[in-house]
Amino acid sequence: MPATLLRIHPENPPQSRIQQAVEVLRKGGVIIYPTDTVYGIGCDVTNAKAVERVCRIKGIHPEKANLSFICYDLSHISDYAHGISTATYKVIKKALPGPFTFLFEASANAPRFGGVKRKTVGIRVPDNQIIRQLVKELGNPIVSTSVRESEETLEEYVTDPDLIYEKYRLLVDLVIDGGFGGNTPSTIVDCVNDEFEIVREGAGDIEQYL
């Protein structure tokens, strides 16, 4: 059965449509959604079978997957990461919501993709009302991995929701059309050693917050 294409206004997402998407997530569904950078594929972080499905769609093994997840705000971060100093927290508080993925030392509560305990965890708080409202309503973070045109070519991201729907409509349960996406991913910043080491240059400039 083809996925549902759900159009949601990016600035003022109607609660009824947010709820419709959340119900898909609660039933173990996989969705595609907009962020403040590229479109993402994800599911409820607490649903192991859904996470495995996301990995299959991406062609990666769950135990080797470096999946990040999206939080509504900073309040969830302490649930999944530890060792965050006050100085580091002040920087990420200024930078978020924004186009960054921050890597922290994983706590005991961090998701075990494929049953494997992670040393680090990647956390996103995008500046996008649709995905943040989804996470808030769901009550759990959402696994996040980017929608790419080609797994071989890292820089080719699909930006048109209609083209995304055509490509993934038989693979996922719901595609949210929140307008055209970007083609530059988030900047990945490693904060594990209380330093801000750039792992991947992307849309965010961490220097302006240091």
Side-chain angles (χ1 to χ4, degrees), residues 12-150:
N12 298 295
Q15 183 62 25
S16 60
R17 299 206 170 192
I18 293 294
Q19 190 62 45
Q20 185 178 341
V22 167
E23 286 305 313
V24 173
L25 291 167
R26 285 185 176 143
K27 291 176 181 176
V30 173
I31 70 170
I32 291 178
Y33 48 84
T35 71
D36 54 353
T37 56
V38 300
Y39 267 79
I41 304 175
C43 62
D44 184 340
V45 76
T46 65
N47 191 310
K49 287 186 177 179
V51 173
E52 288 174 8
R53 193 172 150 209
V54 169
C55 291
R56 283 199 305 272
I57 292 169
K58 291 281 287 189
I60 52 181
H61 294 289
E63 63 271 14
K64 296 179 180 179
N66 291 317
L67 302 172
S68 59
F69 54 88
I70 293 175
C71 297
Y72 173 71
D73 57 22
L74 297 182
S75 63
H76 278 297
I77 290 180
S78 60
D79 295 337
Y80 302 106
H82 63 76
I84 303 174
S85 69
T86 301
T88 296
Y89 185 84
K90 285 180 178 178
V91 172
I92 65 173
K93 188 176 181 181
K94 287 189 290 185
L96 297 175
F100 299 96
T101 300
F102 288 107
L103 302 181
F104 301 105
E105 186 178 349
S107 73
N109 295 326
R112 298 185 175 218
F113 303 131
V116 177
K117 187 181 187 312
R118 300 283 166 214
K119 291 183 179 179
T120 60
V121 62
I123 293 176
R124 283 268 279 134
V125 182
D127 188 11
N128 179 281
Q129 282 301 312
I130 294 173
I131 187 60
R132 288 184 69 212
Q133 290 303 317
L134 278 178
V135 172
K136 185 177 183 181
E137 185 67 27
L138 179 64
N140 297 317
I142 292 176
V143 166
S144 181
T145 181
S146 60
V147 172
R148 287 208 291 263
E149 181 64 51
S150 166

